[in-house]
Amino acid sequence: MRAAPRPAPVGAGLLGEGGREEVVPLAEETFRSGFVGVVGRPNVGKSTLVNALVGRKVAIVSEKPQTTRNRILGVLNGPGYQMVFLDTPGMIEPRCELDQYMVKIARGTVADVDVVLLVVDGTERPGPAERALVASFPRKGVAAVLAVNKVDLLGPAETARALESYGELYAFRRTVPVSALLGTNLDELRQAVYDCLPPGPRYYPEGMVTDQPDHFYVAEIVREKILELVREEVPYAVAVVVEEITSRPNGMLYIRAYVFCERAGQRGILVGQNARVLKTAGTRARQELEQYFGKRIYLDLWVKVRRDWRDDPSTLQQLGYRFK
Ligand code: GDP
Ligand code: MG
């Protein structure tokens, strides 16, 4: 499985005089680009970090593990370079079809990138997940950068200890302590990634930050707001599908979305007393999406039960979790 379909670089196919492709000599100023696979255990802050590096929210974030279910692409353009970050679901022990899908995405991403960015939680010790990930690095010697995240929660001595213990896992090109939440040390991390980039084309046009269709992004924002409000098994049982986004003549955007869960009991929790959970999630999502689209929005949310969808490959497909 390819981690990311590599698009034709912008301007590719332009032929030089005489119909031959122009060869640009490699020089110090050669444009650099590459796919950067962001991997790590669930909840270490991968999505927060990708959003911070790219400078815009491309991936939803929550305090619940396994928030990210798909490969999310975030593009960072800088002077002379383009970094294409691939945020991934965390590495986990698969327990259902959806888990299998997520692990496949994470594995597939590592297999086909120019740089691996391993994100770890500095407040925790290295564990089996990190060891398995490092062992799965596709080629010996693949350029890997280590980001030790959440150092805002650590003192200097603890940070030094975390850098040392995680740094022993692999011959990382660089190890950078960061706080994705506060935006600390991100320039240093960008520089570390830049130093690993090969010469390459601009894969995506400059204005493009992500490849997610609006339908998918909207569904993710709705799911994020629901995750803020529900606990225990419910977050894992929720999937959101956006059925319709249409502009109304009055300039409003009408959005209809279905929130799927696996049991009637979960439906009760999601709707909540007096539809409180659904209303609160809906209001929060609407407000954020109004900022995003720059338009007023009517968000029409419906909750539906789809029994055991996480274990049913055909329903997974319908819900947008497609094995490619
Ligand atoms: P992912 O599962 O690895 O993508 O992790 P998320 O980006 O969804 O973040 C998981 C949780 O960690 C969220 O509650 C974040 O707010 C929190 N988090 C992420 N980065 C930091 C950080 O640098 N410092 C602190 N204190 N919390 C963070
Ligand atoms: Mg994530």
Side-chain angles (χ1 to χ4, degrees), residues 3-4 31 47-48 57 126 146 167 203 234 240 248 256 265 284 300 307 324:
F31 196 84
S47 298
T48 309
K57 178 167 171 178
L146 175 66
Y203 290 107
V234 186
V240 179
R248 290 271 163 91
R256 190 174 67 257
R284 290 180 187 176
D300 200 4
R307 281 197 87 78
K324 283 188 193 122

Side-chain angles (χ1 to χ4, degrees), residues 259-272:
V259 179
F260 289 98
C261 57
E262 293 195 313
R263 307 252 178 280
Q266 293 162 348
R267 185 180 190 285
I269 292 168
L270 281 168
V271 175

